[in-house]
């Protein structure tokens, strides 16, 4: 017993000595480069922030508004300390290109924030949170092999049936309502979740299935837990995070542990079903889950100049990934679809123009014969409406990448400091409303909902009817001010760009063709918004339209 006590004391003593040594060397060397010379200056920061809280004091539910305000005072590149977290904020599309595309090797890291995010991602083992290394590359490749441009066509029939289901569910609700007036939100959420589940887990659900309700409720509970005061603060104060982590290690965190296993449960069952189908060699449309289960091992990392051997890919890792991807896809498809419907209801002229394009496209054929595969690339106006909706109301206004090493970042004749693990945040509230970039030659500014800004004659060469989300199209060409070849950044930028853009856009395109062909929409509300502190599951938050009641008037 005495020996045991002695060795525990020894371990605590060594850990303490290590902690002090690391802290001291961090303090002494934090402002010096590896060669001992002083580091460059941080990008400009707001003055007079209160000690300890720093910028955190000023951030409410919509931090991007404060960031935009600071960017008008400090310039498009600024840095700010939020609690103890130093972040760099990019408020301009060209700057995002430099940081996330041109310097992608340096700035494509990710770090996990609070303890809930850590628990839900197995400490950064999901595609959204994994470091920029071989493990991330392997899972990203598997997901790309399911929903990337060359593969997404396998889901065209899913998009067809989901768009018909949207209309039939709305029709049932409209029939029950007085004055044909309803809020379409619950139907939209159902369509978004079942679409997400079909793609991630290859499973079809019907409206009565209790798993659907459970998944949504668990996700809401997780967002609540994550938004609790101290959990939230821990994302900005590493010592608080360490203290809470230590407390959980000793005493456990019943709420978090229960929620985690409750949340993973339905996804575990889906994974087992997928495994069985694979073993029985049943024909199936490939799902992200099936592709992840096919990964046997991931290449090893380079440690001290030597490549370590391959590491087995565990089923638990597939499980946290399908859970995270489903939550992300459901939340953002639902938010984008809801916004688009609300927007069309409030924009009568835009809606008529989109309707006319659909009628022309149909050329007298019944809308039920319409197939998603025939729509892609053929509906320029509707494509522009979708882009404009994602520009005006991106479901996630802030997205963050992390630096992978200490850097000297040169921008406009200045060299700035960015430290290893600093998060670099793109602020779409500033970028998507940049009047230099978005004002058309005939004077339609960025605050106006004007889809035609993405069509000829405004659109530059290489214009696409789908959002141009690939890596290299964020390009400033000769006429910088008018170059919209990269139309919006709602799906992110650089090596960590969203892999679900095609799925989302096909869902939006297909549902809008069915919906607008059946109904004329009026009413709606694009002003009431709900700000969430977390962004499935990051700290940067997300914003969704609450929307209003819409009148659905049958077209024929
Ligand atoms: C409106 C719908 C969606 C929006 C607005 C959206 C937005 C985003 C954003 C902002 C990022 C971070 C990008 C970055 O850090 O540069 C992201 C990453 C990602 N998204 Fe989406 N997303 C949507 C739908 C989907 C769907 C439907 C899927 C899958 C089926 C998906 C899969 C992913 C994946 C796998 C990543 C991680 C990429 C990585 O870090 O390597 N997304 N998304």
């Amino acid at each position: 017993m005495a020996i045991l006590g002695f060795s525990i004391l020894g371990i605590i003593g060594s850990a303490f000595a290590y902690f002090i040594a690391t802290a001291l060397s961090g303090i002494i060397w934090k402002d010096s480069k590896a060669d001992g010379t002083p580091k460059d200056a941080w990008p400009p920061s707001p003055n007079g922030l209160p000690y300890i809280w720093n910028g955190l004091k000023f951030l409410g539910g919509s931090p991007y508004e404060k960031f935009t305000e600071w960017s008008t005072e400090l310039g498009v590149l600024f840095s700010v300390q939020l609690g103890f977290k130093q972040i760099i904020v990019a408020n301009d599309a060209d700057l995002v290109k430099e940081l996330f595309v041109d310097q992608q090797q340096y700035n494509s890291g990710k770090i996990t924030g609070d303890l809930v995010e850590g628990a839900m991602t197995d400490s950064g083992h999901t595609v959204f949170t994994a470091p920029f290394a071989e493990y991330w590359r392997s899972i990203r490749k598997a997901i790309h092999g399911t929903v990337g441009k060359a593969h997404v066509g396998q889901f065209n029939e899913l998009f067809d049936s989901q768009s018909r289901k949207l209309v039939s569910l709305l029709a049932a609700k409209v029939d029950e309502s007085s004055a044909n007036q309803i809020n379409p939100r619950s139907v939209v959420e159902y369509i978004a979740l079942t679409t997400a589940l079909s793609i991630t887990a290859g499973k079809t659900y019907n409206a009565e299935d209790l798993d659907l309700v459970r998944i949504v409720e668990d996700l809401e509970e997780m967002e609540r837990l994550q938004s609790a005061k101290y959990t939230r603060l821990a994302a900005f104060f590493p010592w608080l995070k360490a203290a809470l982590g230590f407390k959980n290690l000793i005493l456990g965190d019943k709420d978090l542990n229960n929620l985690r296993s409750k949340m993973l449960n339905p996804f575990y069952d889906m994974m087992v079903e997928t495994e069985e189908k694979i073993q029985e060699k049943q024909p199936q449309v490939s799902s992200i889950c099936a592709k992840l289960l096919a990964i046997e091992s991931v290449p090893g990392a380079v440690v001290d100049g030597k490549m370590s051997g391959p590491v087995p890919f565990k089923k638990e890792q597939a499980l946290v990934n399908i859970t995270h991807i489903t939550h992300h896809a459901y939340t953002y498809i639902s938010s984008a679809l809801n916004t688009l419907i609300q927007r069309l209801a409030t924009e009568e002229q835009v809606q008529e123009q989109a309707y006319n394009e659909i009628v022309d496209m149909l050329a007298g054929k019944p809308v039920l014969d319409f197939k998603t595969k025939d729509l892609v690339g053929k509906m320029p106006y509707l494509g522009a409406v979708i882009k404009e909706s994602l520009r005006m109301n991106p479901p996630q206004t802030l997205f963050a990448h992390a630096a992978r090493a200490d850097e000297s970042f040169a921008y406009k004749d200045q060299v700035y400091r960015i430290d290893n693990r600093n998060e670099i945040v793109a602020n779409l509230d500033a970028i998507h409303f940049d009047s230099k970039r978005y004002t058309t030659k005939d004077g339609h500014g960025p605050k106006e909902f004007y889809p035609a800004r993405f069509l000829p004659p405004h659109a530059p060469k290489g214009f696409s009817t789908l959002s141009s989300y690939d890596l290299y199209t964020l390009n400033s060409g000769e006429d910088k001010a008018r170059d919209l070849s990269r139309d919006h950044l709602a799906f992110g930028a650089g090596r960590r760009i969203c892999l679900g853009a095609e799925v989302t856009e096909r869902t939006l395109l297909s549902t809008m063709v069915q919906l607008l062909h059946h109904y004329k929409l009026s009413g709606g509300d694009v002003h009431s918004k709900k700000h969430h502190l977390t962004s499935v599951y990051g700290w940067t938050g997300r914003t969704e339209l609450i929307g209003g009641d819409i009148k659905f008037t049958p077209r024929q």
Side-chain angles (χ1 to χ4, degrees):
M1 200 60 191
I3 292 176
L4 187 67
F6 193 69
S7 62
I8 289 175
L9 274 180
I11 292 169
I12 294 177
S14 327
F16 186 68
Y18 174 78
F19 178 75
I20 296 290
T22 315
L24 278 178
S25 90
I27 292 167
I28 295 166
W29 292 105
K30 102 177 156 36
D31 294 324
S32 306
K33 293 182 183 170
D35 62 4
T37 57
K39 285 185 178 171
D40 309 295
W42 290 111
S45 303
N47 282 326
L49 298 180
Y51 193 62
I52 300 191
W53 297 107
N54 296 302
L56 206 54
K57 172 98 171 49
F58 299 97
L59 303 185
S62 50
Y64 54 81
E65 283 169 2
K66 193 70 195 172
F67 288 170
T68 305
E69 193 186 312
W70 279 331
S71 80
T72 53
E73 291 160 20
L74 301 165
V76 292
L77 177 66
F78 70 84
S79 63
V80 61
Q81 205 168 321
L82 307 177
F84 276 33
K85 190 200 243 321
Q86 182 83 33
I87 64 159
I88 314 292
V89 187
N91 297 276
D92 171 86
D94 289 333
L95 187 54
V96 172
K97 177 180 182 277
E98 281 186 41
L99 285 160
F100 291 172
V101 179
D102 301 345
Q103 310 259 8
Q104 52 180 259
Q105 287 299 327
Y106 297 116
N107 298 324
S108 295
K110 291 272 172 173
I111 51 177
T112 48
D114 57 55
L115 293 171
V116 177
E117 186 180 13
M120 288 311 303
T121 61
D122 265 352
S123 309
H125 278 88
T126 65
V127 66
F128 304 91
T129 51
F132 185 66
E134 291 304 332
Y135 171 85
W136 163 79
R137 227 179 295 278
S138 301
I139 39 182
R140 184 159 170 116
K141 200 168 144 207
I143 302 164
H144 188 267
T146 321
V147 291
K149 216 179 184 129
H151 310 275
V152 71
Q154 65 180 320
F155 297 109
N156 278 340
E157 284 173 21
L158 169 74
F159 304 133
D160 293 342
S161 64
Q162 290 293 80
S163 56
R164 281 179 210 139
K165 193 170 276 171
L166 175 92
V167 174
S168 72
L169 291 173
L170 285 176
K173 281 193 113 194
V174 169
D175 287 347
E176 282 169 14
S177 72
S178 58
N180 289 359
Q181 195 146 321
I182 57 160
N183 189 325
R185 203 187 164 92
S186 59
V187 174
V188 164
E189 284 173 354
Y190 168 78
I191 294 296
L193 181 56
T194 47
T195 304
L197 284 166
S198 297
I199 289 165
T200 49
K203 188 155 174 177
T204 314
Y205 285 89
N206 58 40
E208 292 79 44
D209 209 311
L210 284 178
D211 266 358
L212 298 178
V213 182
R214 278 189 205 123
I215 291 170
V216 173
E217 283 178 357
D218 290 348
L219 182 56
E220 284 169 1
E221 196 180 331
M222 195 202 68
E223 286 197 321
R224 266 197 305 278
L225 204 65
Q226 225 182 350
S227 309
K229 189 168 173 194
Y230 291 108
T231 311
R232 172 84 180 151
L233 281 179
F236 303 98
F237 293 97
W239 49 267
L240 179 60
K241 185 173 169 182
L244 289 177
F246 188 66
K247 185 197 110 215
N248 291 353
L249 195 71
I250 304 295
L251 303 174
D253 183 339
K254 230 167 88 197
D255 289 349
L256 181 55
N257 292 342
N258 286 348
L259 179 62
R260 185 179 185 276
S261 49
K262 195 154 71 95
M263 271 180 102
L264 294 178
N265 249 337
F267 292 96
Y268 179 79
D269 294 344
M270 287 173 223
M271 193 171 81
V272 171
E273 277 176 41
T274 308
E275 268 183 309
E276 284 166 3
K277 281 190 202 156
I278 296 171
Q279 270 157 16
E280 290 159 13
K281 296 200 168 41
Q282 280 184 31
Q284 54 173 328
V285 176
S286 91
S287 64
I288 291 176
C289 182
K291 274 275 193 288
L292 289 174
L293 287 172
I295 306 176
E296 283 172 6
S297 60
V298 296
V302 179
V303 181
D304 295 335
K306 280 194 205 139
M307 184 82 168
S308 63
V311 185
F313 182 75
K314 301 190 196 112
K315 281 188 193 148
E316 294 80 359
Q317 294 167 339
L319 178 62
V320 286
N321 270 286
I322 56 165
T323 310
H324 199 167
I325 297 167
T326 307
H327 287 158
H328 171 98
Y330 154 64
T331 306
Y332 292 136
I333 293 179
S334 156
S335 183
L337 183 53
N338 190 41
T339 303
L340 185 58
I341 296 175
Q342 293 287 340
R343 180 64 74 173
L344 282 164
T346 60
E347 299 277 347
E348 198 185 333
Q349 264 187 341
V350 171
Q351 195 188 147
E352 278 316 290
Q353 201 166 333
Y355 174 71
N356 290 337
E357 186 177 64
I358 295 165
V359 172
D360 288 351
M361 180 72 186
L362 278 171
K365 279 186 276 164
V367 70
L368 284 180
D369 289 353
F370 230 87
K371 299 276 184 288
T372 304
K373 69 176 167 49
D374 302 323
L375 299 174
V376 180
K378 306 276 174 47
M379 312 287 287
Y381 190 72
L382 199 46
V385 172
I386 291 170
K387 291 181 193 186
E388 186 70 337
S389 182
L390 287 164
R391 178 186 75 82
M392 296 271 296
N393 296 92
Q396 192 180 321
T397 309
L398 303 173
F399 61 90
H401 292 196
R404 302 172 63 225
D406 285 359
E407 296 169 36
S408 293
F409 175 65
Y411 184 67
K412 290 199 176 153
D413 306 328
Q414 287 282 339
V415 178
Y416 294 114
R417 163 182 181 177
I418 300 179
D419 281 1
N420 187 20
R421 293 178 62 78
N422 276 162
E423 278 180 282
I424 306 166
V425 178
N427 176 16
L428 303 189
D429 185 51
I431 295 169
H432 283 183
F433 294 91
D434 177 352
S435 53
K436 288 197 303 310
R437 202 171 185 90
Y438 287 104
T439 307
T440 61
K441 285 188 174 125
D442 51 353
H444 297 278
K447 296 223 162 104
E448 187 185 342
F449 189 84
Y450 186 66
R453 76 176 78 249
F454 295 123
L455 298 172
H458 304 297
K461 58 180 179 328
F463 127 92
S464 153
T465 55
L466 291 176
S467 289
S468 46
Y469 59 90
D470 69 88
L471 296 183
Y472 303 100
T473 50
L474 186 64
N475 178 357
S476 296
E478 277 182 4
D479 184 0
K480 267 191 175 213
R482 304 259 178 264
D483 186 0
L484 291 176
S485 58
R486 176 61 197 265
D487 32 45
H488 63 76
L489 275 71
F491 294 115
R495 292 296 290 274
R496 307 299 296 235
I497 200 162
C498 178
L499 284 173
E502 286 272 347
V503 164
T504 305
E505 299 216 307
R506 285 179 193 224
T507 303
L508 298 179
L509 194 64
S510 199
T511 47
M512 282 314 105
V513 168
Q514 292 287 342
L515 186 62
L516 296 185
H517 190 261
H518 281 87
Y519 291 107
K520 183 176 163 61
L521 317 179
S522 50
D525 173 10
V526 287
H527 300 295
S528 53
K529 290 177 185 168
K530 181 162 183 201
H531 301 293
H532 297 259
L533 290 179
T534 69
S535 47
V536 208
Y537 320 126
W539 65 268
T540 49
R542 64 187 176 87
T543 304
E544 57 177 343
L545 279 190
I546 296 169
D549 280 358
I550 292 178
K551 184 165 182 179
F552 289 77
T553 311
R555 284 276 181 184
Q556 276 118 9

